[in-house]
Structure formats: C-alpha cells, structure tokens
Amino acid sequence: MAEAHQAVNFMPSLTSDRGEVELSGPVWQEIYLSGLRSWKRHLLRFWNDFLTGVFPATPLSWLFLFSAIQLAWFLQLDPSLGLMEKIKELLPDWGGQHHRLRGVLAAALFASCLWGALIFTLHVALRLLLSYHGWLLEPHEAMSSTTKTWLALVRIFSGRHPVLFSYQRSLPRQPVPSVQDTVRKYLESVRPVLSDEDFDWTTGLAQEFLKLQASLLQWYLWLKSWWASNYVSDWWEEFVYLRSRNSLMVNSNYYMMDFLYVTPTPLQAARAGNAVHALLLYRRRLNRQEIPPNLLMGMRPLCSAQYEKIFNTTRVPGVQKDYIRHLQDSRHVAVFHRGRFFRVGTHSPNGLLSPRALEQQFQRILDDPSPACPHEEHLAALTAAPRGMWAQVRKSLKTQAAQALEAVEGAAFFVSLVAEPAGLTREDPAASLDAYAHALLVGRGHDRWFDKSFTLIVFSNGKLGLSVEHSWADCPISGHMWEFTLATECFQLGYSADGHCKGRPDPTLPQPQRLQWDLPEQVHLSISLALRGAETLSSNVDCHVFPFSHFGKSFIKRCHLSPDSFIQMALQLAHFRDRGQFCLTYESAMTRLFLEGRTETVRSCSREACDFVRAMEDQEKTDPQCLALFRVAVEKHQALLKAAMCGQGVDRHLFALYIVSRFLHVQSPFLAQVHSEQWPLSTSQIPVQQTQLFDVHNYPDYVSSGGGFGPADDHGYGVSYIFMGDDMITFHISSKKSSTKTDSHRLGQHIEDALLDVASLFQAGQRLKRRRRGPGDEDSGHRRGFISTKTVDSKAPRTSTPADPFQ
C-alpha cells in the first residue's frame, strides 16, 4: 500500500546533507550478517515451536512411533535391522538388572533418529513440491492432471491439521531472476511512457549495465540467496522503511475502515471494550498457533513470518536508521484521550479481562475530568516528525520520562479515543466518508503514536478504524487481523440491548494509570515544530472514498475475467482521462509464496493497456475492437501479476542489484536512473481473506470497507480498492491539495465512468445499461453512454451469525 512512496524515496535515505552515506563494511560481510540474522530467526522459531509442542511434529507422533517399535520388539521383530543392538552396545553397561533399561533407551534413541529423519524427508519433499508454480498459470476451474496430482501430494505431505507456522521450514526461497530477463522486462515496461529519444537513451544505459556491471552484482545476489532466507526482504525493510528519514504519517502509514453502513453500538467505551478484547483473542490464538495457515486459492500455503510482529511491536527512531523492537508479551494497552495518556491493564489474575471490564476501564478514562499537562496534549506529534528529529528528542524523554515512554512503547498496541464522531452520514454521505478517511489516515497529527505497529481508533459515535505502521508487515497481515476483529466483536462477543458489552462490570478493578510526562524545556519547542509540520502535512492530503454499487465481482467473473485486472485496466483509462497521458503505475503484489517474501511491483501500464485506452478514446473504434484489445490487456496484466508472485518481477531484483552496487561502490547510471523514477499512480487491492467470517451474500454491509494510503508522488494519486461482497467495490483515493495536477474527486468520477464504459463493452453490460436507462434518457457524457445511478442505501441489520472458523 504505502510502500510505493517509500520505494520512491529510499534513495534520499542513502544520502545526507554532506553527500552520499557510505554503507559500512564490504558486501560479503553484509551478506554474512544477513544470513546470520536469518538463522537466528530460524532458531528462535524452532525453540518457540518446541515449547509449544508443534516442532518438528507433535510429541504424540514420536510417542506413537516409539510405542510401535516397542511393540515390534515385544513380538520379537526388529524394525531397526540390527541398529538398536548396535546402539545398546554403545550405551554404558549398568549391570544385568538394567539390561531392559538399555533396550528401552536404545529404542528411544532409534525412534528419535527415525522420527527426525522422516520429518526432515517430509520437509524436503514438501519444499520441492511447493517450488512448483505451474498451477498458477492454469485456470482455477480447469486444473490439469499434473496440478491435481501435485495438490494431492501437497495435502498428504502437509499433515492432517497444519497450524500457522507449519509450512515455514518447507517454503522455497525466493529465486534470483535472470538479470537479462529483468532488464528486458524493465525496458518493455517503460516503453509506453517514454519518448523514442528517451527510450533509446535508457536502452543504451541498460546495455552498458549488462556488459559492465550486471554479472558481478548478480553473483553477490546469488550468493546471498543461498545463505540468507530471502535475498531481498531484509534489505527492503532496512533501506526502504527503516532508513527513511521522512515522517511516518501519510508516507508510511495506512488505514483500515470499519463497516460502511453499520455501527454495532453507539457507545464509544463499549465498542472499544469489545474491539480490544477481540484483538487480544486474536493475539492469543496467534501465540497458540490456532490460526490456520493462509492458502492462496485454497491450495498453496503462504509465508506467515510477518504475523510474528503484529502485537507488542514499536518502530524506534534512530538518527540514521530506525529499528523494530518486538516484545514477547505485553499485558497492557496505551490509551490516548483528550491529550492525556493512560496505561490500561488487559489481564487479571484469572486471565484476559472481559469485554465489559475493558469497557468499564475505557469509560473511566472518558469520564476523567483531569486536564492534559502542558505540552502533553501534542506530545505524540513527535512520532509524526522527521525521524532524525524524533530520535534526538526521544533521548531526552528516555532520561526524563522513561516510565511513561516505556508504557507506550511496550504496550500491546495503542488505542486512541477520539472526541469527535466519524463515519457515513445520511445528510452528506460523500463528504462524511472523505472526512472519515482523512481522520483515519492523519487525524489531528497528535492523537496517535505512529511508531506503534498499529493504533486502534475509536470515535465518539462508536465508529472504529485502524492506523497501521508499514515497516513490520504488509497490508494482508493487518487485514487478516482486522477481519477477525470486526467479525468477533460484532458477531461472537456481541452487545446487550442497551449497547453495552455483555457481562457485568468489575468494581474491584483499579483505575487506569495516568502516565506522567516530565518534559524537559528543550522538548517543548520540538513538540511545537513537530505539531506544525504534522498539521501542514495533514491539511495537504485530499482523501476521497466512494462505494461503486453498479456492479461488482460477480459481474466481472461472469465476463470470465480477473476482477483485479478488470479494475487495473479501468484505472488506466480513468487516469488517462484525468491527466491526458500514460504514467508508470505501481500495483503491489505479494511474494509470500516464498520464505520471508513480502511484495513485488506489478507495472500495470503495459503497451497492451495503452492500446486499449487509446481505442476507448478513439470514436472510430467499435465496441468489438475495444473489447478485443481489453481482453489482450487483461491477459497481459495477469501474466505480469503471476510473474511477480512467482519471484520473476522487475523492481525487487533491480533494487537488490542497486544495494549491492552501493556496497561495492560501483557506479551504475542505469540503476540510478531506474531508482529515480516516480510513480504518479500507486494502486493496491485490499483482499478479503476470511469470507467464512461474513455472510456477504445476505448481508454485504457487514464487511470492512477497506482502507487507503497516501500518494507516492506529490503530483500523483494513491488508489486502493476492495470488493465488498459480490456487487460493490469501494475505492479510496488520495492526492496532495498542493498539486495543481491532481484532484481526488475528479479522478473518482473518472474511475466510475471508466468502469461503466468498460462494462458496456460486454453483452451483460449492455443489458445493464438498457435496464438503467429510461426511454427518453440521454447519454451521460462519457464515451459509451452508461448512465450513473449511484445511491447510498442503509442496509437492514443483521440477524444471523456466521460460524467461527477456528472452532
């Protein structure tokens, strides 16, 4: 999501006012340390899994094998083919009376060795199976016999009940693509947006790079790919996120919205109580590995490494580079309300506090009349300041207000109780949604702790939202947690008739602890500067959210097309109408098919997409001609998307090559040119991953309306979208008000028109067009004459409860 902005700006993080920052140490040392960090993570995961009894397999499996060996021995059978006798000879002789004990120990040792060898063989076999990607290139409804056989073998080798991290040791490593293929794909991607002269110049740089530097840089990447878990992910985290010196607000954070049409309770404290309890239930299931592993298309397991840092995590600022601090456990949350900070415990001696008890604690905070201390109200604006400035100020806080700072940074997560309402209103639905998005993305600039992994935002009318820091994980991870939270707090926990959490208050609970900040005098000016910068950045963001209700995923699938590719081609048409030119387009795709994979860029503005857009704007082109070009463009986008998911994209490979060149102090004009490019259009789809939690067919309003992020370029757009059920798509658009070239609302209208125009190319769309137009209606003004009748309706409240998928 927000990664496009960070990807554009990672090069300035390698420079300073005094010139380029020298990367310390030779490249081989960096590769060695990268591998060392990988092995430490593997050992830590091994130890945690051993303590929880899930690695290498459950203890019952070893006990079963040991019992079978003992039974065979009792029946005078030797399954070890003499190995146990050899083991007995190596054991010390404790006398005749201990002869039977030596036999048991020999059987236990043999069972352990056999158990480990079998599990190692299963892991190797599963890794080889998971390296097959042919299934991704086939239609899901028409799998080949090879893919069916592969899928059956994967299920056999995966075991009966895999848990969240079961596949981690079996996932293949992300391959390093051929540098020739990467450069070829790059040149193909920039051809539509470059003039002939610029393209020839870029081609010359590419040929020079392939001739002089590529083989050396590629060799180091190949070496790292064998030694470390992933050849690019740790550098991506460090250089794109942690070394960025920009403000986290807008540049790195993104937001997730509540239900669009429904608010389960208008009571702020009650909604906060249920939501916090649901989040902590998710953390408990995460710790116990009770969450099923993610499967792509229900078939292929995805890497789960990013789940480890959802909770108890803070991005700590540094002068040159931040670092991520993760705690094994935390039994409190930090709460902000009207400029005051509180510490609220989440556990009692009997375990996790009930939702009603948490509601009681939040209500006590809401009822607390004490005012904020001087400068305390705006203290959190420091987390929205440039990272170097915040790092310097934090040193003073660390000495003067260490206890309060630790209470915030060591919390499970941050909770912001906002004094104003938010969400969709009947009086002005469009403006209210825009204000809701703006409040989640930036707020007031001082009402959330941007360093925390995420902030739960609860508005005065009971509306919820999430603000997420991006460095620790990508959107599907927080989205998975958010889906569980919304479903659990609304359907499983529920509310009483008067809107309160179910259960009874606990009058014995101590009051929430008010945090005391002893702020040094020199910090006051820094807070004022940080607040001024946050307010300037906040006021410059133009957010626009609109639900598109003319058609959704079901219509697109009836056209036998990929919903994501359909939207991406419509975005190309909309952006061309908005700006009158083509541009580099960033679409985020995940690479979690591989161990510790994160994302790759799909360059959606292809030559085929441009041909389609030109045809749509050419009045002489017929609908069948445009439709044929549209299908070609969709097929090309699908090919690009699948290549990116299989580790054969362009941008992460070029990024890693550039980092190696910096370590080697090799000057590459081609790589410098690549990483100086801007992304005027940054896009992302927010996936709905747990459809079993929601009854989207009967109650499509009980689905999260997605989220959004800031633009990657000062003169560009950030666009995210989510398919809400089968018949609605919600779009989140952002841009900068300071730019004269962009307007979020204008692009939104172009997107709606483009979707309707593309739909009218299909026979089903033609029927829909006739159904929406009266006998005397005229065309609405856009090319294909699709009439817009978008309305915002309130849905009936839900009466049924979907099943808990974890039961």
Side-chain angles (χ1 to χ4, degrees):
M1 292 186 74
E3 68 186 43
H5 187 282
Q6 298 296 95
V8 169
N9 289 279
F10 90 91
M11 284 189 65
S13 70
L14 297 178
T15 61
S16 66
D17 295 336
R18 293 168 293 180
E20 292 191 349
V21 175
E22 292 294 331
L23 299 183
S24 59
V27 64
W28 62 265
Q29 180 180 350
E30 177 61 25
I31 291 174
Y32 167 76
L33 293 175
S34 179
L36 196 62
R37 291 189 294 266
S38 298
W39 286 105
K40 285 182 178 179
R41 288 193 297 269
H42 292 331
L43 290 175
L44 181 61
R45 170 52 50 195
F46 170 86
W47 180 245
N48 289 338
D49 287 351
F50 178 79
L51 293 178
T52 54
V54 297
F55 182 85
T58 60
L60 287 177
S61 63
W62 178 90
L63 184 61
F64 174 80
L65 182 63
F66 174 71
S67 301
I69 292 173
Q70 286 290 87
L71 178 62
W73 190 262
F74 177 77
L75 297 175
Q76 297 184 347
L77 300 173
D78 186 7
S80 69
L81 302 178
L83 286 177
M84 285 195 295
E85 288 295 335
K86 294 290 185 181
I87 295 174
K88 285 174 63 176
E89 293 175 3
L90 297 176
L91 293 176
D93 188 0
W94 295 300
Q97 64 272 25
H98 297 293
H99 179 75
R100 183 172 180 80
L101 177 61
R102 293 175 66 198
V104 172
L105 288 176
L109 289 172
F110 175 73
S112 299
C113 294
L114 182 60
W115 185 61
L118 288 174
I119 290 171
F120 177 77
T121 303
L122 288 174
H123 282 176
V124 171
L126 187 56
R127 175 174 291 189
L128 292 174
L129 286 170
L130 295 181
S131 299
Y132 169 71
H133 297 133
W135 62 273
L136 192 60
L137 306 178
E138 299 175 355
H140 188 51
E141 63 277 2
M143 287 190 296
S144 66
S145 57
T146 300
T147 298
K148 290 179 180 178
T149 304
W150 167 81
L151 182 58
L153 290 173
V154 168
R155 288 172 176 169
I156 292 173
F157 283 95
S158 297
R160 295 179 57 191
H161 301 290
V163 294
L164 182 62
F165 297 106
S166 292
Y167 296 102
Q168 289 303 100
R169 278 156 295 276
S170 301
L171 289 173
R173 301 190 182 191
Q174 186 167 338
V176 181
S178 162
V179 68
Q180 289 80 9
D181 286 346
T182 297
V183 172
R184 176 183 55 79
K185 292 176 182 178
Y186 169 78
L187 293 175
E188 179 184 326
S189 73
V190 299
R191 185 64 189 94
V193 300
L194 294 180
S195 65
D196 293 342
E197 182 182 353
D198 289 340
F199 181 74
D200 290 341
W201 180 71
T202 303
T203 302
L205 293 180
Q207 292 174 347
E208 180 185 14
F209 168 73
L210 290 174
K211 181 180 180 181
L212 299 179
Q213 298 123 358
S215 58
L216 175 64
L217 305 181
Q218 181 80 348
W219 185 84
Y220 280 105
L221 286 189
W222 179 84
L223 179 64
K224 185 185 178 187
S225 71
W226 279 95
W227 172 240
S229 299
N230 192 290
Y231 82 91
V232 66
S233 290
D234 59 333
W235 284 349
W236 183 257
E237 178 182 294
E238 176 182 350
F239 292 100
V240 170
Y241 292 111
L242 300 182
R243 282 185 180 267
S244 173
R245 302 295 83 197
N246 296 324
S247 167
L248 298 185
M249 188 175 76
V250 179
N251 300 318
S252 181
N253 75 311
Y254 58 92
Y255 66 87
M256 307 290 288
M257 272 190 174
D258 195 0
F259 301 126
L260 193 61
Y261 299 109
V262 179
T263 305
T265 177
L267 302 181
Q268 184 178 20
R271 195 79 197 279
N274 259 9
V276 170
H277 188 82
L279 285 165
L280 294 173
L281 286 178
Y282 187 87
R283 184 179 70 169
R284 184 166 68 186
R285 287 179 166 176
L286 185 63
N287 292 338
R288 295 176 179 177
Q289 297 197 38
E290 295 174 352
I291 299 174
N294 293 125
L295 300 177
L296 182 63
M297 300 170 62
M299 300 166 55
R300 172 62 159 82
L302 302 177
C303 180
S304 301
Q306 296 179 49
Y307 283 90
E308 297 177 343
K309 295 181 181 178
I310 293 181
F311 297 94
N312 325 323
T313 299
T314 299
R315 176 172 169 173
V316 179
V319 176
Q320 292 187 350
K321 182 179 74 170
D322 297 353
Y323 69 92
I324 295 177
R325 179 192 179 203
H326 173 70
L327 304 178
Q328 289 301 310
D329 192 22
S330 176
R331 291 182 167 247
H332 74 277
V333 294
V335 183
F336 180 88
H337 177 250
R338 293 189 180 276
R340 304 160 304 166
F341 292 82
F342 296 85
R343 183 188 187 278
V344 176
T346 56
H347 291 71
S348 69
N350 298 323
L352 185 62
L353 288 182
S354 68
R356 190 67 180 89
L358 289 168
E359 177 191 350
Q360 170 186 316
Q361 296 296 77
F362 291 127
Q363 191 61 52
R364 287 174 172 176
I365 293 175
L366 295 174
D367 296 337
D368 188 340
S370 61
C373 297
H375 299 283
E376 179 189 14
E377 178 181 3
H378 302 140
L379 175 65
L382 290 169
T383 64
R387 304 305 288 171
M389 170 186 171
W390 169 217
Q392 296 290 354
V393 176
R394 185 179 174 276
K395 293 179 181 179
S396 300
L397 292 180
K398 192 73 175 174
T399 57
Q400 300 292 327
Q403 187 173 359
L405 183 64
E406 177 58 28
V408 173
E409 294 185 341
F413 51 89
F414 196 78
V415 180
S416 179
L417 301 176
V418 182
E420 294 82 24
L424 182 68
T425 63
R426 288 182 176 273
E427 295 76 19
D428 194 348
S432 62
L433 276 181
D434 297 348
Y436 183 23
H438 191 274
L440 291 176
L441 182 62
V442 295
R444 293 188 169 187
H446 62 82
D447 56 356
R448 63 206 60 175
W449 203 268
F450 287 100
D451 291 353
K452 290 299 293 180
S453 56
F454 68 90
T455 296
L456 176 68
I457 304 166
V458 190
F459 296 93
S460 62
N461 60 344
K463 214 66 182 173
L464 284 180
L466 208 66
S467 176
V468 188
E469 202 280 311
H470 208 319
S471 63
W472 58 275
D474 300 308
C475 177
I477 307 302
S478 54
H480 189 277
M481 174 193 70
W482 190 235
E483 290 173 5
F484 175 88
T485 301
L486 291 178
T488 301
E489 66 94 13
C490 187
F491 307 137
Q492 305 302 322
L493 301 177
Y495 298 89
S496 60
D498 57 359
H500 290 281
C501 297
K502 294 179 180 179
R504 295 181 179 180
D506 184 357
T508 64
L509 283 178
Q511 291 283 336
Q513 178 187 351
R514 172 79 182 273
L515 300 182
Q516 303 297 326
W517 300 88
D518 183 14
L519 301 177
E521 189 68 31
Q522 64 268 26
V523 172
H524 297 173
L525 178 60
S526 298
I527 294 175
S528 299
L529 291 174
L531 178 64
R532 193 179 311 155
E535 290 175 342
T536 300
L537 189 57
S538 171
S539 62
N540 192 31
V541 178
D542 181 22
C543 294
H544 179 46
V545 178
F546 71 94
F548 179 85
S549 56
H550 298 297
F551 62 84
K553 182 169 56 178
S554 62
F555 168 80
I556 300 174
K557 287 187 174 181
R558 287 199 303 271
C559 297
H560 305 288
L561 295 170
S562 160
D564 180 67
S565 297
F566 188 102
I567 299 298
Q568 285 292 325
M569 294 306 102
L571 289 177
Q572 290 300 314
L573 177 58
H575 186 270
F576 184 82
R577 289 173 173 175
D578 182 80
R579 297 289 293 272
Q581 62 184 17
F582 298 107
C583 71
L584 286 177
T585 303
Y586 189 111
E587 182 191 3
S588 179
M590 62 94 183
T591 55
R592 289 169 57 211
L593 293 172
F594 306 102
L595 181 62
E596 296 184 13
R598 292 200 59 162
T599 61
E600 177 58 277
T601 305
V602 179
R603 294 178 167 238
S604 302
C605 185
S606 62
R607 178 178 56 83
E608 292 79 0
C610 295
D611 291 342
F612 158 70
V613 170
R614 292 190 187 98
M616 288 292 288
E617 297 302 277
D618 186 351
Q619 296 294 332
E620 296 181 358
K621 294 291 186 181
T622 63
D623 281 3
Q625 289 176 315
C626 292
L627 179 57
L629 290 172
F630 179 73
R631 290 192 179 277
V632 171
V634 166
E635 290 176 2
K636 177 63 176 180
H637 179 266
Q638 278 289 290
L640 293 174
L641 175 62
K642 291 175 180 179
M645 293 173 62
C646 293
Q648 299 299 316
V650 172
D651 290 86
R652 298 303 175 269
H653 187 202
L654 293 178
F655 162 80
L657 290 169
Y658 178 75
I659 296 300
V660 174
S661 73
R662 290 299 305 270
F663 276 111
L664 294 175
H665 309 294
V666 172
Q667 297 297 322
S668 172
F670 171 70
L671 293 177
Q673 164 66 20
V674 169
H675 292 100
S676 65
E677 295 171 342
Q678 299 296 312
W679 299 97
L681 182 59
S682 174
T683 68
S684 179
Q685 180 192 167
I686 299 181
V688 179
Q689 305 170 76
Q690 302 169 91
T691 54
Q692 72 275 18
L693 293 176
F694 306 95
D695 188 355
V696 295
H697 296 288
N698 296 320
Y699 303 97
D701 47 334
Y702 278 87
V703 179
S704 169
S705 48
F709 55 94
D713 182 60
D714 288 342
H715 299 287
Y717 293 104
V719 181
S720 68
Y721 48 94
I722 183 173
F723 293 96
M724 297 178 61
D726 289 333
D727 301 308
M728 182 178 290
I729 312 167
T730 300
F731 288 88
H732 300 252
I733 307 171
S734 66
S735 60
K736 296 288 183 68
K737 294 179 181 179
S738 58
S739 174
T740 59
K741 300 178 181 179
T742 56
D743 185 313
S744 296
H745 295 75
R746 185 182 69 211
L747 181 65
Q749 186 59 55
H750 284 309
I751 291 174
E752 182 172 6
D753 292 347
L755 287 169
L756 296 174
D757 284 351
V758 173
S760 69
L761 298 175
F762 296 85
Q763 188 176 7
Q766 292 287 351
R767 292 196 297 268
L768 182 60
K769 177 173 69 173
R770 290 194 295 268
R771 194 163 60 243
R772 289 190 178 275
R773 293 180 59 184
D777 287 339
E778 299 294 334
D779 286 353
S780 63
H782 40 81
R783 181 183 186 272
R784 304 289 163 182
F786 215 124
I787 295 298
S788 171
T789 59
K790 183 177 68 172
T791 58
V792 179
D793 297 323
S794 178
K795 307 292 182 180
R798 172 175 196 148
T799 57
S800 64
T801 300
D804 184 352
F806 299 117
Q807 295 298 327

